[in-house]
Amino acid sequence: MSNNAKPTPSTRPSLPPRVSSTSSAASSISHQSGVIKEHWNDLPSNFTPGTSRSASRTGTPLSRGEISTPTTTDGASSGGDLEAPDFEEILEALLKAPSKLKPKDVEILGSKVQKSVGLITPEQRAELGFIIKAVVVDRSEGPAWGRENVVAFMMREKGVAGWAIAVRKIVENVV
């Protein structure tokens, strides 16, 4: 057969069989596997929702004793429950700390956190204050550790993502 020859009816590819228009919407037919019983986003029929891990926990790791606060040489806790002014001082230290971010970015992120300070519970202030203090004030931990702990805090606590993302961004960029 030459290159200029037209295909004959026997050399043309055959079309797939047509699906009958009488099939109902409830039992759709897939061209690959037949009748579709579940669609891609349907849960399996044997799925029963259980309790989530976060619903079984109360408080923060600091209030449950999972994170220990640093102690002084006489055994007294140096972290303890941070009062509002102490947390705000630590937050101010975070905003003034040397950073890889541009000053304007730190200002924008800081204003997002400062607008939400009234929504932060005392337990959340204590935990975040401990993290920020370890990274910025004491320099006992690095920015990667701070980021990791702020992310863990955000995953545990509900309703903090709006402002805690800004804290994470500033903490991870401390120089």
Side-chain angles (χ1 to χ4, degrees), residues 139-163:
R139 299 277 184 181
S140 60
E141 298 292 343
W145 177 89
R147 178 192 193 285
E148 198 174 294
N149 282 283
V150 172
V151 169
F153 167 81
M154 289 168 46
M155 291 171 53
R156 276 189 311 276
E157 300 290 326
K158 294 182 181 178
V160 300
W163 55 267

Side-chain angles (χ1 to χ4, degrees), residues 10-33:
S10 63
T11 59
R12 289 186 188 156
S14 62
L15 296 174
R18 293 185 178 249
V19 177
S20 166
S21 60
T22 60
S23 63
S24 68
S27 62
S28 300
I29 296 179
S30 167
H31 70 284
Q32 294 179 345
S33 62

Side-chain angles (χ1 to χ4, degrees), residues 7 18 26 40 43 81 93 95 98 132 137 143 154 156-157 170:
R18 293 185 178 249
W40 68 271
L43 292 172
D81 288 333
L95 298 178
I132 295 168
V137 179
M154 289 168 46
R156 276 189 311 276
E157 300 290 326
I170 298 170

Side-chain angles (χ1 to χ4, degrees), residues 41-100:
N41 62 346
D42 291 344
L43 292 172
S45 58
N46 61 352
F47 178 78
T48 353
T51 60
S52 69
R53 290 186 329 155
S54 63
S56 64
R57 296 183 129 184
T58 57
T60 65
L62 189 62
S63 67
R64 290 190 307 268
E66 292 176 16
I67 295 178
S68 61
T69 56
T71 56
T72 59
T73 54
D74 63 354
S77 175
S78 63
D81 288 333
L82 297 176
E83 304 275 328
D86 292 336
F87 177 74
E88 289 172 3
E89 287 174 14
I90 291 172
L91 187 59
E92 198 60 38
L94 174 64
L95 298 178
K96 290 181 180 175
S99 177
K100 295 181 218 170

